[in-house]
Amino acid sequence: CLSIVLSATGYKPDPSLYVEYDLSKDIIPEPVQTQIKKDIFTVKRNGINIKIAKLAKYDITGKVEDIKDFSSNLLSNFFSFTSPNFANYISPRDLALSWGELSLEENNNLISADQYFFNTERRVLFSFSPELISKYGKEYATKHCSNNHVIALDNGLRKELLRIKENDVVRIVGYLVDCKADNGWTWGPSSLVRDDE
């Protein structure tokens, strides 16, 4: 799983970050992950201090295969405020993304993603058709998709995140993180590899 922190003051979209892909022919490139010196900052949510450690800088572009929305899910929001699990509060959406050849239009019906919330865990199950596996192999398929728990600490970014739709091509620039609250709640650390299942 990936946790990405996006934060800015008075967020305005940066035109230099926009990318356009024609998925009938363009192959979305691999995510770029850059090692950084560990940096920790604190945010206060629902009266609780949450320390967020930046583990690596991350830049990913992908086709949205599925979205799990936690911003209006009454059950998950109920648990967010009544238990030490604040993931659904600080991270309103998970985006299941694909890139590389998996995201090409010709593969639209050969990959599916089903996201679910169970016992405070946010997961995705990617399914690949036999045709897709025979074209690219299981190893390629599993290394070219991921579930992204997006933490948007700025209201403008949160609004942009909630506008994303299935099949959009999105670019996310931020950090892979580890979260720890002063009441004992933890989330992470983020995966730093592409081949975990």
Side-chain angles (χ1 to χ4, degrees):
C1 69
L2 300 172
S3 296
I4 300 171
V5 170
L6 302 170
S7 65
T9 305
Y11 174 77
K12 291 183 179 152
D14 178 353
S16 71
L17 294 179
Y18 285 109
V19 290
E20 284 193 31
Y21 289 93
D22 175 354
L23 295 182
S24 68
K25 60 180 180 174
D26 295 337
I27 296 175
I28 297 174
E30 301 286 322
V32 177
Q33 182 175 311
T34 309
Q35 290 304 114
I36 59 169
K37 186 178 176 184
K38 192 173 182 181
D39 179 26
I40 300 173
F41 65 99
T42 302
V43 296
K44 193 167 194 166
R45 292 293 185 268
N46 199 29
I48 303 293
N49 291 317
I50 303 170
K51 288 184 179 173
I52 299 177
K54 298 178 185 177
L55 305 177
K57 191 167 175 52
Y58 198 59
D59 185 339
I60 184 172
T61 301
K63 182 180 115 184
V64 179
E65 297 289 348
D66 195 38
I67 297 171
K68 182 70 174 171
D69 191 344
F70 297 94
S71 67
S72 59
N73 183 324
L74 293 176
L75 182 63
S76 64
N77 283 336
F78 173 78
F79 284 115
S80 296
F81 288 100
T82 60
S83 75
N85 177 13
F86 297 98
N88 301 333
Y89 182 60
I90 65 171
S91 176
R93 273 193 152 177
D94 283 0
L95 303 178
L97 301 180
S98 69
W99 59 89
E101 295 187 57
L102 291 193
S103 59
L104 290 171
E105 276 179 10
E106 66 189 56
N107 296 320
N108 279 352
N109 297 320
L110 305 181
I111 178 174
S112 67
D114 294 308
Q115 293 174 299
Y116 58 95
F117 175 77
F118 178 73
N119 198 23
T120 73
E121 294 204 15
R122 295 158 60 157
R123 304 222 175 213
V124 67
L125 176 63
F126 284 98
S127 300
F128 310 112
S129 72
E131 183 183 341
L132 187 109
I133 295 299
S134 71
K135 278 167 82 173
Y136 305 111
K138 184 179 178 194
E139 184 179 353
Y140 181 90
T142 58
K143 286 185 177 180
H144 288 82
C145 57
S146 67
N147 192 27
N148 299 265
H149 309 310
V150 184
I151 299 172
L153 299 178
D154 176 272
N155 284 336
L157 282 169
R158 188 179 180 96
K159 286 178 187 171
E160 289 293 315
L161 176 62
L162 295 175
R163 287 176 41 184
I164 294 170
K165 304 179 299 300
E166 241 177 84
N167 296 314
D168 282 352
V169 174
V170 298
R171 182 176 181 193
I172 303 170
V173 179
Y175 298 91
L176 302 175
V177 300
D178 186 17
C179 302
K180 291 181 177 157
D182 58 12
N183 66 351
W185 171 80
T186 61
W187 197 31
S190 174
S191 171
L192 298 175
V193 296
R194 305 285 81 79
D195 58 358
D196 55 339
E197 293 185 29

